Amino acid sequence: MDDIILSVKDLEINFNTYAGVVHAVRGVSFDLHRGETLAIVGESGSGKSVTTNAVMKLIPKGNGIYAGGSINFEGRDLIPLSDKEMSVIRGKEIAMIFQDPMTSLNPTMKIGHQIREVIMKHRGLKRAEAKAEAIRLLTLVDIAMPEMRYHQYPHEFSGGMRQRVVIAIALAGQPKVLIADEPTTALDVTIQAQILELLKRIQKKMGTSIIFITHDLGVVANVADRVAVMYSGKILEIGTADEIFYSPRHPYTWGLLSSMPDLASSKEEPLHAIVGSPPNLIDPPKGDPFAPRNPYAMKIDFEQEPPMFKVSETHYVKSWLLHEQAPEVEPPAVIRRRMERYANEIEGKKVNG
């Protein structure tokens, strides 16, 4: 498809450790379309950040191994590229926003100069032109008094403002793909919402494709076009945001959604918790990795890994519950209520035209 800008196929990432080989990413496949936001969601240790670090070729050499698969950016596989070849793409074509802005910013350097350097490196502008562009980017990310702020240091900014500066730096090379790795985790809820709204607005204005990494489904509810649910180094479910939030089919997705606060739910309704722990990826399980924590697990779940079952043209689920011979299983009551509310909302929109 012409609108696919990034295509990850059967990606395998291993790490050599003293305890053994960690199989961190195990056969991950997804496509990123031009101008869309794809959220990759899952618990800590599910392989989300390793996957996107692999796209950026930031897997540490020595103990990190690209064990299989491909990462095609505009038809070019990134895995075989040298550091020199990748340095042309990193920042200019694909940029990354990290979780903690203070680890991304140089505390001894004025923030305007940090943005200006990236512009000069990736776009070849002269110093004066790059400065003007840096001030424009500060304005774009809603930094007040950008001409004054250009000359200030990172410690003179609040956490939310520092994250805006990091976004400005990521945009400085005019990348086609922006990877946001838990960019709002360290921020309070109000600032978090502002940053998410900012990313939405920037995407609409610049047409950037975004991969958004988070452990919190609620964060991406109004931001993502599509959602991939990751667990134990694998994608277990992928679909449009509506399909994942209002018609989820994998028990792990049910668990994530049930543990997410819902303003429309009864105050007395307790939050759900997924019992157990993720598997040890030094010795990955034979069948469905979620089987030991899945209350609906069948015998086959412990013996054989399920394939990706097609629910719709955009919705795929890796669960034996989708097999035609599997028993009928209903999602938890809290998920059914959300699905019913969504169906009513859709029906209401149809009636009201």
Side-chain angles (χ1 to χ4, degrees), residues 236-237 249-250 307-309 311 315-319 322:
L236 300 188
E237 183 164 8
R249 303 297 294 274
H250 199 286
M308 271 288 191
F309 289 92
V311 180
H315 193 183
Y316 293 83
V317 182
K318 197 177 185 66
S319 171
L322 275 290

Side-chain angles (χ1 to χ4, degrees), residues 343-353:
N344 292 335
E345 288 172 13
I346 295 297
E347 194 61 35
K349 288 176 183 177
K350 289 179 181 176
V351 171
N352 295 324

Side-chain angles (χ1 to χ4, degrees), residues 4 23 50 52-53 57 61 72 80 84 91 94 137 146 160 173 183 189 213 221 225 249 275 282 306 309 313 332 351:
I4 294 176
H23 303 271
V50 175
T52 49
N53 282 339
K57 292 293 293 289
K61 291 184 177 178
N72 283 288
K84 185 176 181 180
I94 307 173
L137 284 172
V189 175
I213 305 298
D225 299 301
R249 303 297 294 274
V275 297
I282 291 177
F309 289 92
E313 290 300 322
V351 171

